[in-house]
Amino acid sequence: MREIIDPLPFVIAAYAIGIGGTAAMIVWSWILMRRAEMRREKSREL
């Protein structure tokens, strides 16, 4: 007899990893952008 595995948990996990990774990259790039803007402003003040 064959055992049927429900693919839904794997699909949900794949979406969670994809969405979580995308959100992490957005936050990371936003933080780096803010740092670069601060450095630019500091260099303009000198």
Side-chain angles (χ1 to χ4, degrees):
M1 196 184 299
R2 292 180 118 189
E3 203 175 310
I4 298 175
I5 299 174
D6 185 20
L8 189 59
F10 297 102
V11 173
I12 291 171
Y15 273 107
I17 291 169
I19 292 170
T22 302
M25 286 181 63
I26 289 171
V27 170
W28 182 37
S29 63
W30 182 77
I31 290 170
L32 291 177
M33 179 185 66
R34 297 288 294 171
R35 283 186 193 165
E37 288 174 349
M38 282 189 207
R39 275 185 290 172
R40 184 188 67 202
E41 291 300 320
K42 284 183 181 179
S43 69
R44 286 184 177 182
E45 290 174 2
L46 296 178

